[in-house]
Amino acid sequence: MTTLTASRQRYLPIIATFALLVGAYGFGAAQYEAFASGQVVLNILIDNAFLLVVAIGMTFVILTGGIDLSVGAVVALSTLVSARLLAAGVSPLVVLVLVLVIGGTLGLGMGAVIHYFELQPFIVTLAGMFLARGLCYTISVESISITDGFFTTMAQTPVSLPGGMHVSTSVVIAVIVLAVAAYVLHFTRLGRTVYAIGGSEQSAMLMGLPVARTKITVYAISGLCSALGGVLLAFYTLSGNALHAVGMELDAIAAVVIGGTILTGGTGYVLGTVLGVLVLGIIQTLITFDGTLSSWWTKIVIGALLFVFIVLQRLVSRRAR
Amino acid sequence: MVLRMTGIRKRFPGVVALDDVDFRLLPGEVHALMGENGAGKSTLIKVLTGVYGVDAGEIELAGEPVSFTGPAAAQRAGVSTVYQEVNLCPNLSIAENILLGREPRRFGRIRWAPMRRRAEELLARLDLELDVSAPLSAQSIAVQQLVAIARALDVDARVLVLDEPTSSLDSHEVDRLLAVMRTLRDEGMAILFVTHFIDQVFAISDRMTVLRNGKLVGEYETAEITPVELVTRMIGKELATLDELEQVRPERTVREELLRAEEVGRAGGIEPFSLGIQRGEVVGLAGLLGSGRTELARLLFGADHADQGTIRVDDKPVSLRTPRAAIARGIAFCSENRKTEGLVEDLTVRENIALAVQASRGWTKPLSRKRQEEIAESSIKALDIRPANPEAKVGELSGGNQQKVLLARWLITEPRLLILDEPTRGIDIGAKTEIQKLVTRLAAEGMAVVFISAELEEVLRLSDRVLVLRDRQVVAQLDNDALTPEQIMATIADGGAE
């Protein structure tokens, strides 16, 4: 009996997010005829594929009880490195690999500093954020457009779905990342160790789990996801710009939290993060459809939602106790 | 011999925790490690399990010299430990807590079904049947403790270390644990058992090693030593017996009432209760774990606020919505979680003691360093805190001494009502007696005390009146006229129906 309610409570935040998503979609469909088409939902995915990938990486970090503020800056750095190298005629494949290596290495470095010097992830990744954002300006202070054939193909080729609907290749990549992330979190030792560290780092250590390796790995994963997110953003905008993705770390954190992952770690699902990203996207779309509201209403609604969700999580965890 | 430790030395800044200690463990025995708080038991265990390195000495496991780099290395070598504070992850399932790090896998993929089966098998060995996919947080502390043991069993353990496993269990759960220990011993496991309960030591152990002040006192066959001899060796002097307390307890007279609670309750915390506490009175709270003892105390201290009823102090209605309001009226609360809710481990003894005084003075009137030192010195002397060093970090003190620091901190604010929640849990008999004597003395000086303990004998020894709780409800208030533990148990059992 008690176990039943306890496990049901674990899903409560994710169910709430799903209900919100359905509610928002229902509201939109009732208000605007065009909203009812499935393509609207797919467009949300298309417009937010890069955010989804970044937020998935963030989920790993937050599940251990950490935080990564550098993701937006790493995204921007990745778009610029791609644009600059492509402009110099480097093969797109080499560019891709290089960008991913840079992102992963940055994350790895931050993770190592956090673990071995026992520093707060907040401050270390804040430093990483300034570093990456600053590096952007050493590459170029202006926007560099991308004209490479591979990138434009990736950007412009739709992937057809049944029913006359379509998504972008970025969405396909994001969904693959999602599947891999869910697999890793639920079916590998690394994933379960991530949850264990979030539950109690001290216990995880005393249980003989590889705490050091895992903590460093999650920041590397986040760095890697940010780099990939940057590549997807480059597909989406076909440009590299130091001003890309300003504040995206906060959108990613918001998506993760609205998706039911608790900031202190140990509880949450990567699927929730998808729902969180979709909620952010649908609010944006609703406000666009309305046409009379200014875009900052998106921020106001997201702010209000965040409040509601953190309070909800607190209530759930209090009752579970 | 499965384990031999020789000449172990471990020094912390300012303290020699272990000084040339020898220890040996045979297969198929339960070996009790005994000693007062600060005797070095925990340090010895942490050295054995690789949490600390040694400054000198050797550890041999099955004849091979070993030097563990951490708990993981010790576990791999067959030394499994269950710590006093259950060190598991409450957010994960029972099965995961048992098998994490050793999950059955195929090509790196965790196979959940065999994992659950394996967990069920291990629990069955402990005579436990649970839904292993349920989160651990839904289980009682006792079950969590058994889950921790199940985890220890899964490794090919030759040595099982149980550090105070019974301190938060009720007597039925203790019997169950002891039965499990007997089974494992008969299977040839070497069990190192640390506890403060002397009766349990005599019930289960085959041999024992006694430590005092970081030094080895001796190794004894349980059959050849009496409890009194054991205690004498632990404290190094003849134990002033607890019976003396009975005489210390002064005659009670009618006194003025300090606090009265009328139909005070909190939904989900405790059912409405009424209670009057007089000056100089010790009110004991008896009940099982989770019966609402702590919840009641927290309401009186304002740590939780009541959603109904009134509390009067000195016959004036008061609103105790925050601990600050309660402190202002002379109410003090020593929490049962001294680590998380009472002390700041990284501060020194002096700083911890000064905290409460400073809080009552307000930040505009800082306490001089000299005054802080005086207060700390006098508290250390009054309560015999060891090491007697005001600059020692509280986190490095043993459990009993931490408890004394916490008490000292409240006592210097001269409270009129002192609420003690499990002040003697997990501390040794010497310190326990001291704390009990202190309670009696404080009450004789006119302080009202609310005393919470899982040990009925202790509650009865100290209290003038006993409140019996069950299922978050006060079921009876009994005057302590030669009450017996059996009477209290009967009241708990029948819910105060008579």
Side-chain angles (χ1 to χ4, degrees):
Chain A
M1 174 67 199
T2 46
T3 57
L4 211 144
T5 45
S7 52
R8 199 192 300 152
Q9 272 173 350
R10 280 201 290 184
Y11 297 113
L12 195 61
I14 212 169
I15 292 168
T17 311
F18 187 69
L20 179 75
L21 191 63
V22 171
Y25 184 73
F27 172 79
Q31 292 278 329
Y32 318 103
E33 208 176 314
F35 211 91
S37 105
Q39 188 61 44
V40 169
V41 178
L42 294 181
N43 284 345
I44 293 172
L45 278 175
I46 292 169
D47 294 339
N48 290 291
F50 53 92
L51 177 62
L52 179 56
V53 171
V54 172
I56 288 169
M58 184 70 82
T59 309
F60 276 82
V61 174
I62 292 183
L63 277 175
T64 63
I67 197 99
D68 188 351
L69 297 180
S70 71
V71 293
V74 174
V75 166
L77 182 65
S78 304
T79 65
L80 263 179
V81 169
S82 308
R84 185 63 186 264
L85 289 178
L86 289 170
V90 180
S91 140
L93 207 65
V94 175
V95 171
L96 272 180
V97 171
L98 202 63
V99 164
L100 293 182
V101 167
I102 293 173
T105 311
L106 270 173
L108 196 75
M110 287 188 292
V113 170
I114 289 165
H115 183 79
Y116 290 112
F117 295 97
E118 294 179 31
L119 289 168
Q120 299 292 331
F122 184 96
I123 202 70
V124 174
T125 57
L126 185 69
M129 170 178 126
F130 283 120
L131 185 75
R133 191 67 77 179
L135 280 175
C136 291
Y137 289 97
T138 65
I139 296 172
S140 167
V141 288
E142 277 159 27
S143 184
I144 306 173
S145 60
I146 295 172
T147 52
D148 172 78
F150 174 72
F151 270 57
T152 49
T153 313
M154 291 298 274
Q156 286 154 5
T157 314
V159 177
S160 300
L161 294 177
M165 296 188 286
H166 64 90
V167 292
S168 61
T169 42
S170 298
V171 174
V172 177
I173 293 171
V175 168
I176 293 170
V177 171
L178 170 70
V180 171
Y183 178 83
V184 168
L185 280 176
H186 296 284
F187 290 100
T188 68
R189 193 169 283 177
L190 168 70
R192 300 323 290 169
T193 307
V194 165
Y195 279 91
I197 293 174
S200 166
E201 189 173 331
Q202 170 78 3
S203 295
M205 193 267 287
L206 287 172
M207 284 162 101
L209 300 174
V211 171
R213 199 198 322 152
T214 308
K215 263 176 82 180
I216 294 168
T217 306
V218 295
Y219 288 93
I221 289 173
S222 179
L224 203 63
C225 283
S226 307
L228 185 59
V231 171
L232 298 190
L233 186 63
F235 289 166
Y236 187 71
T237 60
L238 284 177
S239 69
N241 190 335
L243 289 171
H244 273 332
V246 171
M248 193 202 247
E249 55 281 348
L250 304 180
D251 286 337
I253 294 167
V256 172
V257 172
I258 290 176
T261 301
I262 293 176
L263 272 181
T264 48
T267 319
Y269 301 93
V270 71
L271 193 64
T273 301
V274 180
L275 297 178
V277 169
L278 287 175
V279 164
L280 294 188
I282 209 160
I283 291 165
Q284 223 155 11
T285 311
L286 273 174
I287 284 163
T288 318
F289 265 69
D290 180 87
T292 60
L293 291 170
S294 308
S295 62
W296 56 72
W297 276 98
T298 318
K299 300 272 176 217
I300 294 172
V301 175
I302 292 172
L305 274 181
L306 259 180
F307 274 123
V308 170
F309 273 83
I310 51 183
V311 169
L312 177 79
Q313 289 178 354
R314 169 54 67 183
L315 291 178
V316 168
S317 59
R318 193 179 281 171
R319 212 152 27 118
R321 200 162 38 134
Chain B
M1 195 171 314
V2 59
L3 173 78
R4 181 201 284 275
M5 299 170 87
T6 36
I8 301 293
R9 242 181 109 77
K10 176 71 191 172
R11 184 197 292 274
F12 291 114
V15 206
V16 178
L18 291 175
D19 187 6
D20 195 22
V21 171
D22 297 340
F23 179 77
R24 56 196 191 124
L25 195 58
L26 308 175
E29 74 164 345
V30 174
H31 193 120
L33 183 58
M34 304 297 294
E36 287 193 281
N37 294 309
K41 302 184 302 274
S42 300
T43 312
L44 188 69
I45 286 178
K46 286 188 170 151
V47 164
L48 169 61
T49 55
V51 177
Y52 298 148
V54 290
D55 297 328
E58 278 169 20
I59 306 176
E60 273 176 35
L61 196 63
E64 302 279 317
V66 288
S67 142
F68 300 130
T69 49
Q75 256 176 40
R76 274 195 300 276
V79 179
S80 275
T81 313
V82 177
Y83 295 93
Q84 177 177 8
E85 280 99 22
V86 182
N87 276 293
L88 296 173
C89 296
N91 58 325
L92 299 181
S93 72
I94 293 171
E96 282 187 86
N97 272 296
I98 295 175
L99 292 165
L100 207 62
R102 299 185 291 271
E103 309 90 338
R105 294 186 297 175
R106 183 184 289 152
F107 306 121
R109 180 187 199 276
I110 295 173
R111 299 162 67 215
W112 286 100
M115 176 156 158
R116 283 192 286 268
R117 271 201 305 280
R118 176 84 186 124
E120 278 162 5
E121 281 164 22
L122 286 164
L123 288 172
R125 231 174 123 187
L126 305 182
D127 203 16
L128 209 59
E129 208 176 305
L130 296 169
D131 172 10
V132 295
S133 47
L136 184 75
S137 56
Q139 307 299 328
S140 69
I141 298 284
V143 172
Q144 295 191 15
Q145 193 78 259
L146 290 170
V147 168
I149 293 176
R151 176 177 179 83
L153 292 183
D154 178 57
V155 222
D156 205 7
R158 284 176 290 183
V159 177
L160 177 62
V161 181
L162 301 174
D163 187 3
E164 292 277 0
T166 56
S167 61
S168 36
L169 306 189
D170 68 29
S171 64
H172 173 73
E173 292 163 340
V174 168
D175 289 343
R176 186 168 181 179
L177 182 69
L178 295 187
V180 166
M181 285 167 68
R182 278 189 199 100
T183 315
L184 295 174
R185 171 185 65 191
D186 296 344
E187 289 170 9
M189 178 97 73
I191 300 176
L192 172 53
F193 180 45
V194 181
T195 185
H196 284 118
F197 296 97
I198 297 202
D199 51 338
Q200 290 170 13
V201 171
F202 282 91
I204 185 109
S205 73
D206 303 301
R207 291 191 309 135
M208 57 183 79
T209 293
V210 178
L211 299 181
R212 186 170 70 232
N213 293 333
K215 291 195 177 67
L216 177 70
V217 176
E219 189 191 88
Y220 309 96
E221 297 272 338
T222 307
E224 291 168 6
I225 189 169
T226 66
V228 173
E229 285 166 352
L230 170 62
V231 172
T232 310
R233 290 192 173 115
M234 280 164 62
I235 63 176
K237 55 186 179 226
E238 294 298 322
L239 177 67
T241 52
L242 292 171
D243 301 322
E244 282 176 24
L245 274 178
E246 302 291 345
Q247 295 138 28
V248 178
R249 211 163 85 186
E251 282 305 303
R252 311 285 165 173
T253 47
V254 179
R255 285 158 304 205
E256 53 189 311
E257 196 165 73
L258 177 67
L259 178 141
R260 168 150 290 277
E262 290 285 359
E263 289 302 308
V264 173
R266 174 182 163 86
I270 183 155
E271 299 288 313
F273 64 93
S274 296
L275 166 69
I277 304 173
Q278 295 167 355
R279 288 180 201 283
E281 185 182 38
V282 180
V283 177
L285 300 190
L288 303 176
L289 269 178
S291 60
R293 301 179 312 216
T294 300
E295 287 76 4
L296 191 155
R298 286 174 64 91
L299 281 189
L300 295 183
F301 186 59
D304 292 326
H305 63 262
D307 48 19
Q308 59 167 301
T310 52
I311 295 180
R312 302 168 77 84
V313 173
D314 296 329
D315 213 25
K316 287 194 243 359
V318 292
S319 162
L320 301 179
R321 290 183 68 86
T322 61
R324 203 179 152 75
I327 292 167
R329 295 194 168 69
I331 301 174
F333 177 58
C334 278
S335 153
E336 66 179 323
N337 297 323
R338 52 182 174 256
K339 285 223 169 108
T340 53
E341 290 177 20
L343 292 169
V344 187
E345 290 197 24
D346 288 334
L347 294 185
T348 64
V349 172
R350 172 180 56 79
E351 288 164 327
N352 266 289
I353 291 176
L355 267 179
V357 194
Q358 188 64 67
S360 68
R361 285 163 66 104
W363 60 272
T364 50
K365 289 182 231 157
L367 211 55
S368 76
R369 174 71 183 240
K370 191 161 175 297
R371 183 82 190 100
Q372 287 184 20
E373 276 165 10
E374 283 168 18
I375 294 173
E377 297 278 354
S378 70
S379 299
I380 286 173
K381 201 177 285 172
L383 298 178
D384 190 22
I385 295 169
R386 278 176 285 176
N389 172 12
E391 301 307 317
K393 288 233 164 52
V394 161
E396 290 164 4
L397 265 54
S398 67
N401 284 305
Q402 289 185 357
Q403 187 67 48
K404 288 182 190 169
V405 173
L406 187 58
L407 257 173
R409 194 166 91 189
W410 285 114
L411 290 181
I412 47 175
T413 65
E414 295 173 350
R416 297 192 297 161
L417 172 61
L418 177 63
I419 304 170
L420 297 171
D421 193 357
E422 295 280 7
T424 59
R425 184 167 79 189
I427 69 176
D428 66 72
I429 185 137
K432 202 177 243 181
T433 315
E434 283 172 38
I435 285 177
Q436 291 175 357
K437 280 186 177 155
L438 182 71
V439 168
T440 313
R441 197 179 79 215
L442 292 171
E445 288 167 6
M447 194 182 292
V449 180
V450 172
F451 189 85
I452 305 177
S453 172
E455 284 179 57
L456 288 179
E457 290 80 3
E458 188 177 59
V459 172
L460 289 177
R461 198 176 298 132
L462 295 174
S463 309
D464 300 307
R465 210 144 45 87
V466 179
L467 259 63
V468 183
L469 287 101
R470 183 177 118 153
D471 301 336
R472 300 182 177 257
Q473 205 175 348
V474 176
V475 293
Q477 296 201 23
L478 308 170
D479 282 323
N480 190 2
D481 295 324
L483 274 175
T484 62
E486 288 71 29
Q487 283 171 295
I488 303 273
M489 285 311 293
T491 314
I492 292 174
D494 66 18
E498 288 157 33

